[in-house]
Amino acid sequence: QYPMVFVNRVFVASGSSIYWSKVGDCEVWAPADGGNALVDGGEGGNITGMAVYMGTLLIFKRNRLYRIQPTATLAAASIERLSTAVGTVSHQTIQEVVVTGPAGLLFLTDHGVVEVGPTIATGGFNASPMSNNVQPILETRHKADQSLAWANFSEHRGEYWLQYGLNGAMPQAGLVANVARQQKSLRWTRHDILGLTAGCSYYLSGTRIQAFGDTNGNVYRMHDTQARNGLDYTGRLYTPAYTQGAPGYMKRYGRCFIDASTNGSYNVNVLLYLGRHGIGGTGSNAGTITEGTNDGWGVGKWGEAQWGGSGVAGKYFRPASVARGSYIRFSMNTTGANQWFRLNGITLEAEITASAIAA
């Protein structure tokens, strides 16, 4: 299991032992040319994964981590124990990730996702938990079949894709970690592509391609088209609640000018929503914007067509049955297949109706 090329040999694992081939020949494993070693005397269970990182062969057990450093001969090498607390439950989740700072290895453990990275000391490694922010989500994974979890890293997008099972052996759900950040912590997102069982990255005409397969035997080229699993999408946007910097005060809202652009001649439906603290809000004045490919944020005055002139892009909306609220927000959507839109801007008219904070 887990074949790795290290010091010009191929290393594999079986049980708690590692085996290596002849130098420069992966088909010769005879004792005179190859060899084997029992890792830590068999303590800690079977080997669950291996990786070559920073010129070192890392050997994982479920809750232990070891390394072999390059030496003049394997006879002079030693298997060093790095940790008795960190290991991996699945070799397929081990991925080298490239971040703004030093690179590291991400992998799934019994306690979540952990990163192993180099320390300031020469040849040293440090393990850090990386999934604390999504630990309640990760705890829903099926613990009995974690060895089938897998991951893939996209260098172009800076994303670590992790897939795991929920109530059975096959992976059914997943998380995406954005590692292209200055901060140490990762930004995690839960995705809804179910049933992904394998994946890889490869180069095609100089372009890095990410391809995933699912339980139905389908293979998808990720991030390539807007359709997924044969299904179309519709555009939808919920804006934040605008409080005009005074969330505790009641406001009276007037006109709202909204401008949006579409990729064709279809409507963007708009709904104004007024809310109050402690009681239910109300939706009012549903309407549509039909912009086509016009852009109301053009050169010149705000709200004029892109190339000037007297045409006004966008549309005014007014609260209808209710005009008072603590905040206002908007819901916008399209209804046809594969209809996207871009919100160019919103301008609000509002005034505080009282100097006292609303109950």
Side-chain angles (χ1 to χ4, degrees):
Q1 296 176 296
Y2 326 128
M4 288 289 147
V5 178
F6 178 64
V7 293
N8 208 22
R9 300 174 187 262
V10 174
F11 283 73
V12 294
S14 178
S16 191
S17 297
I18 58 171
Y19 300 80
W20 54 88
S21 71
K22 179 182 178 181
V23 172
D25 193 340
C26 63
E27 296 184 355
V28 178
W29 297 79
D33 300 303
N36 66 85
L38 184 63
V39 177
D40 207 0
E43 293 292 328
N46 292 336
I47 296 172
T48 57
M50 293 199 297
V52 176
Y53 176 63
M54 301 292 288
T56 301
L57 178 64
L58 297 179
I59 304 170
F60 296 81
K61 292 189 176 182
R62 185 155 188 150
N63 293 294
R64 297 193 181 191
L65 178 60
Y66 308 86
R67 73 173 175 183
I68 299 178
Q69 293 181 296
T71 57
T73 63
L74 275 179
S78 61
I79 301 177
E80 303 174 10
R81 184 190 300 174
L82 293 180
S83 173
T84 57
V86 172
T88 187
V89 294
S90 173
H91 168 78
Q92 288 78 19
T93 63
I94 304 172
Q95 292 288 319
E96 182 173 352
V97 301
V98 181
V99 295
T100 305
L105 283 183
L106 288 182
F107 50 89
L108 182 63
T109 73
D110 273 322
H111 311 291
V113 176
V114 169
E115 180 192 48
V116 165
T119 63
I120 298 177
T122 302
F125 291 94
N126 183 52
S128 304
M130 304 301 290
S131 59
N132 291 342
N133 293 337
V134 290
Q135 199 60 34
I137 299 175
L138 267 180
E139 287 302 317
T140 63
R141 68 189 185 279
H142 194 232
K143 302 294 182 63
D145 293 294
Q146 293 187 97
S147 61
L148 298 177
W150 64 276
N152 183 260
F153 180 66
S154 170
E155 292 90 345
H156 175 67
R157 300 176 65 88
E159 293 175 341
Y160 174 80
W161 287 70
L162 174 66
Q163 316 298 130
Y164 52 86
L166 295 175
N167 52 22
M170 304 306 295
Q172 298 159 295
L175 292 168
V176 182
N178 184 344
V179 304
R181 294 163 58 95
Q182 296 278 351
Q183 297 88 345
K184 183 68 175 177
S185 61
L186 305 182
R187 183 175 63 218
W188 290 91
T189 303
R190 179 165 50 181
H191 70 75
D192 60 354
I193 314 176
L194 302 181
L196 297 178
T197 57
C200 70
S201 296
Y202 64 95
Y203 280 100
L204 178 64
S205 300
T207 301
R208 186 77 166 180
I209 304 299
Q210 202 173 21
F212 291 170
D214 66 7
T215 53
N216 296 319
N218 300 315
V219 177
Y220 302 99
R221 176 170 168 169
M222 306 297 289
H223 323 297
D224 184 54
T225 62
Q226 68 272 20
R228 188 180 71 216
N229 296 347
L231 301 177
D232 297 317
Y233 72 89
T234 56
R236 183 175 291 113
L237 172 67
Y238 296 98
T239 70
Y242 300 110
T243 63
Q244 289 68 54
Y249 291 85
M250 189 67 68
K251 274 82 65 175
R252 184 184 303 277
Y253 289 95
R255 299 179 303 172
C256 304
F257 186 84
I258 303 174
D259 180 44
S261 299
T262 61
N263 194 32
S265 297
Y266 48 85
N267 292 336
V268 177
N269 301 319
V270 179
L271 175 65
L272 278 62
Y273 184 93
L274 290 174
R276 299 182 180 184
H277 292 289
I279 60 176
T282 176
S284 64
N285 194 14
T288 60
I289 300 176
T290 305
E291 285 300 315
T293 56
N294 293 332
D295 189 349
W297 291 112
V299 178
K301 296 181 179 180
W302 191 91
E304 293 186 356
Q306 184 169 4
W307 305 115
S310 58
V312 176
K315 186 175 180 179
Y316 281 107
F317 294 83
R318 294 176 181 271
S321 57
V322 178
R324 286 163 46 89
S326 299
Y327 63 87
I328 187 171
R329 64 181 176 87
F330 303 88
S331 168
M332 306 176 192
N333 71 280
T334 58
T335 57
N338 302 330
Q339 293 181 348
W340 65 265
F341 67 93
R342 180 181 66 188
L343 174 64
N344 295 319
I346 297 175
T347 294
L348 306 175
E349 292 180 350
E351 64 175 352
I352 297 178
T353 58
S355 59
I357 297 179

